[in-house]
Amino acid sequence: MGKPTGFLEFERELPKKRSVEERLHDYSEIENAPDDSSSKQQAARCMDCGIPFCHNGCPLGNIIPEFNDAVYDENWALAYEILSSTNNFPEFTGRICPAPCESSCVLGINKPPVAIEYIEKAIIEKAFELNLVKPKMPKTRTGKKIAVVGSGPAGLAAAYQLNQAGHTVVLMERADKIGGLVRYGIPDFKLDKHVIDRRLAVMQEEGVQFRTNVNVGVDVKADELLDEFDAVLLTMGSTVPRDVKIDGRHLKGVHFAMEFLSQQNKRVAGINPEYDHRGAPYANGQIIAKGKHVVVIGGGDTGSDCVGTSSRHGAASVTQIELMPIPPKERDASTPWPNWPMMLRTSTSHEEGCDRHWSINTKEFVGDENGNLKELKIVDLDWQKDPATGRMQMKEVPGSERSIPCDLAFLAAGFLHPQQEGLLSDLELEFDERGNIKTNGYQSSSNEKVFAAGDCRRGQSLVVWAISEGREAARAIDEYLMGQSFLEAKSVSIFNPTFAHA
């Protein structure tokens, strides 16, 4: 334990943010870089609990009290060694993870929890600064060749692990750059893309092969994939967005959120934004929010990213609407510690200016004579619990229907499942009741050479779950090919042994 009285002496502090006035004029990261003294002080708040519930809250099983102790001692090499033993990409989780570990922090029972996410970011940034992040070459090669299809966090984590096990790994991506949604979905003001590039440089030196602009299933057929590789891991994510199928959906100005976000990331990278991340031209051209009334439909992180990006474009107004009722401002009795609390969260994008509304249903997109979106017809909802089933049911509030100005509508209502047409159908894979790839563990239920991990297997989820899935799938593939695996398995909590595969 770094400082026995630290949790009594120090208050929780998060990274300092650049002012709203400054950051609205660029796409640089909002948070200032962590400094050593603040990191040490925050690490001192860790109580080194006898039963560290934060382990259970983290899907990766990060060894949190130990790296907190090392940070307090300013032993950055040890802190990095501990953190990297369970987390391949703390530079991702330290920026864009919602930190379920903090919701399970024991200190959080009656005080603000330890700033674990901030400490993770501090460790990895210090590790790069001190040149502790070096290529780690496999001692031997097994002669086995593995294809990983999809280069998001799940695919990258699996590729790293499998390469360390000595296998030859080829990571294929249909976009022009590696990174998946971290590259073309997460705005640069949350995660600068040099963070991805510096990690890819290390992995490439270690021997991982990257192939971009490869649409597997088209450029490389399913049978060619199975013939060339000893195992195939599918990590293409959940790519089919949930649509809002109401009147006026065809109007110009109604877009899926990811189309808008990926275009902007391309602009920041200096890449032609008239083409999507697969190289196909956008049907509706470039999406610019400047001077327009923007309505974001969906209250999650993707919607928040649309809010922040629209504000930077110079939108005339930005409104975000959500179907569900407003969550409680504090942890509710329905989600007690150490569970993840369903509560109201305000992102940095919301802080920059946004009109937020809950319990709103979208009725119709209204256009002008030229087919351009001009209004959105909405209605208030009344949510009540059904006494028979206990489930919440919604009813429209009579007389509440109205129209609001809307030149651009971004659909940010989540993703349903992976694209089933093409590669997955050609591989004759089975799907579960939600449309995701059906597996036994991580091995597909229909072809023993094919494995799946990440959102395409478990459904839309968090970056930390993607990394965990990639690591676990890599171990399953290693065991399949070699009969055993020395890759580190996720530690499973003794008080919740099913959590690892929840």
Side-chain angles (χ1 to χ4, degrees):
M1 187 174 183
K3 188 177 179 72
T5 58
F7 69 98
L8 296 172
E9 295 179 33
F10 306 121
E11 297 298 322
R12 173 183 166 97
E13 291 184 9
L14 296 177
K16 299 294 187 294
K17 301 168 188 171
R18 296 189 296 130
S19 69
V20 171
E21 293 75 18
E22 176 189 351
R23 69 199 200 211
L24 277 178
H25 296 288
D26 61 43
Y27 290 86
S28 300
E29 286 192 0
I30 289 170
E31 292 183 354
N32 293 323
D35 65 84
D36 294 0
S37 60
S38 295
S39 304
K40 179 176 180 177
Q41 188 177 92
Q42 291 306 300
R45 297 185 70 241
C46 179
M47 300 190 296
D48 194 14
C49 306
I51 299 179
F53 279 74
C54 54
H55 285 200
N56 189 65
C58 176
L60 286 165
N62 282 343
I63 311 168
I64 295 165
E66 284 74 8
F67 68 60
N68 282 336
D69 191 24
V71 169
Y72 180 77
D73 291 337
E74 299 183 75
N75 189 341
W76 295 103
L78 178 59
Y80 170 64
E81 180 183 352
I82 295 169
L83 177 57
S84 61
S85 70
T86 56
N87 187 352
N88 301 90
F89 311 118
E91 62 267 41
F92 298 168
T93 56
R95 286 171 165 84
I96 59 174
C97 182
C101 54
E102 294 185 8
S103 298
S104 299
C105 174
V106 174
L107 184 57
I109 294 175
N110 60 1
K111 291 175 72 73
V114 175
I116 301 168
E117 183 183 22
Y118 171 60
I119 296 167
E120 280 192 22
K121 182 180 178 182
I123 293 171
I124 189 60
E125 293 306 314
K126 195 69 176 179
F128 273 106
E129 177 189 328
L130 298 176
N131 198 30
L132 299 174
V133 185
K134 298 178 180 178
K136 185 179 177 182
M137 307 302 180
K139 294 180 180 179
T140 59
R141 288 290 178 184
T142 63
K144 303 293 185 181
K145 193 175 180 182
I146 302 164
V148 179
V149 182
S151 69
L156 287 169
Y160 179 91
Q161 294 293 102
L162 289 165
N163 182 69
Q164 290 301 310
H167 307 302
T168 298
V169 182
V170 179
L171 184 60
M172 302 182 185
E173 170 58 55
R174 64 180 177 179
D176 54 356
K177 287 183 177 289
I178 297 292
L181 283 185
V182 178
R183 172 77 66 179
Y184 284 129
I186 304 296
D188 288 70
F189 55 78
K190 290 172 66 175
L191 190 150
D192 191 288
K193 301 308 176 270
H194 93 278
V195 171
I196 306 172
D197 294 334
R198 71 181 179 184
R199 174 63 68 176
L200 297 181
V202 175
M203 293 178 64
Q204 199 159 20
E205 195 168 342
E206 290 171 337
V208 177
Q209 300 175 32
F210 299 120
R211 295 182 188 174
T212 56
N213 295 306
V214 178
N215 190 353
V216 182
V218 177
D219 302 320
V220 179
K221 301 296 184 183
D223 55 353
E224 296 174 329
L225 200 67
L226 294 173
D227 289 342
E228 182 180 353
F229 295 94
D230 297 293
V232 175
L233 175 60
L234 305 174
T235 55
M236 68 276 293
S238 181
T239 55
V240 178
R242 181 177 285 105
D243 208 343
V244 179
K245 298 179 180 179
I246 56 176
D247 289 345
R249 174 63 180 85
H250 64 284
L251 292 170
K252 288 179 282 185
V254 183
H255 304 276
F256 286 119
M258 206 49 62
E259 187 178 352
F260 176 55
L261 296 174
S262 61
Q263 276 195 20
Q264 184 54 48
N265 282 14
K266 278 180 168 285
R267 287 190 196 94
V268 175
I271 302 170
N272 189 343
E274 295 187 6
Y275 296 87
D276 68 15
H277 58 283
R278 297 183 294 274
Y282 286 110
N284 299 312
Q286 294 194 45
I287 307 170
I288 305 295
K290 184 177 182 179
K292 296 182 178 180
H293 296 288
V294 174
V295 178
V296 179
I297 302 174
D301 289 340
T302 301
S304 169
D305 294 342
C306 288
V307 168
T309 303
S310 297
S311 296
R312 282 162 177 74
H313 277 212
S317 67
V318 184
T319 303
Q320 186 175 23
I321 60 176
E322 166 61 47
L323 186 74
M324 301 301 293
I326 185 171
K329 293 183 179 180
E330 304 293 338
R331 184 190 284 271
D332 190 72
S334 62
T335 54
W337 180 91
N339 296 317
W340 173 255
M342 295 301 296
M343 56 186 288
L344 181 64
R345 291 175 171 84
T346 299
S347 72
T348 54
S349 293
H350 295 138
E351 293 170 358
E352 294 162 0
C354 174
D355 194 12
R356 303 170 75 186
H357 299 275
W358 290 264
S359 297
I360 298 287
N361 197 12
T362 309
K363 298 286 287 184
E364 182 184 354
F365 298 109
V366 181
D368 61 18
E369 63 276 6
N370 296 316
N372 297 307
L373 179 66
K374 68 172 185 177
E375 289 181 341
L376 189 64
K377 191 175 291 184
I378 60 175
V379 65
D380 292 335
L381 297 174
D382 179 29
W383 287 89
Q384 297 292 337
K385 184 176 289 188
D386 187 316
T389 64
R391 295 180 179 178
M392 297 293 288
Q393 293 186 334
M394 65 179 189
K395 291 193 298 185
E396 293 185 2
V397 177
S400 66
E401 190 172 300
R402 61 199 181 277
S403 294
I404 59 175
C406 180
D407 305 308
L408 276 178
F410 296 127
L411 311 183
F415 295 86
L416 298 173
H417 50 69
Q419 178 184 324
Q420 297 175 354
E421 302 80 15
L423 176 63
L424 302 190
S425 296
D426 293 344
L427 288 170
E428 299 181 346
L429 298 182
E430 296 178 337
F431 303 100
D432 64 19
E433 63 278 0
R434 295 188 298 160
N436 299 314
I437 299 171
K438 190 175 182 179
T439 61
N440 297 317
Y442 294 89
Q443 193 170 34
S444 74
S445 58
S446 52
N447 189 324
E448 66 173 14
K449 285 184 68 172
V450 179
F451 294 72
D455 290 4
C456 68
R457 187 193 81 94
R458 66 175 282 118
Q460 180 185 355
S461 193
L462 310 176
V463 62
V464 67
W465 266 115
I467 297 171
S468 174
E469 289 258 319
R471 290 173 63 90
E472 293 297 299
R475 181 176 172 85
I477 292 171
D478 193 32
E479 288 178 342
Y480 165 73
L481 294 176
M482 309 304 292
Q484 61 179 339
S485 178
F486 294 102
L487 292 173
E488 183 167 342
K490 179 186 180 297
S491 58
V492 180
S493 168
I494 58 171
F495 50 87
N496 191 354
T498 63
F499 187 83
H501 300 292

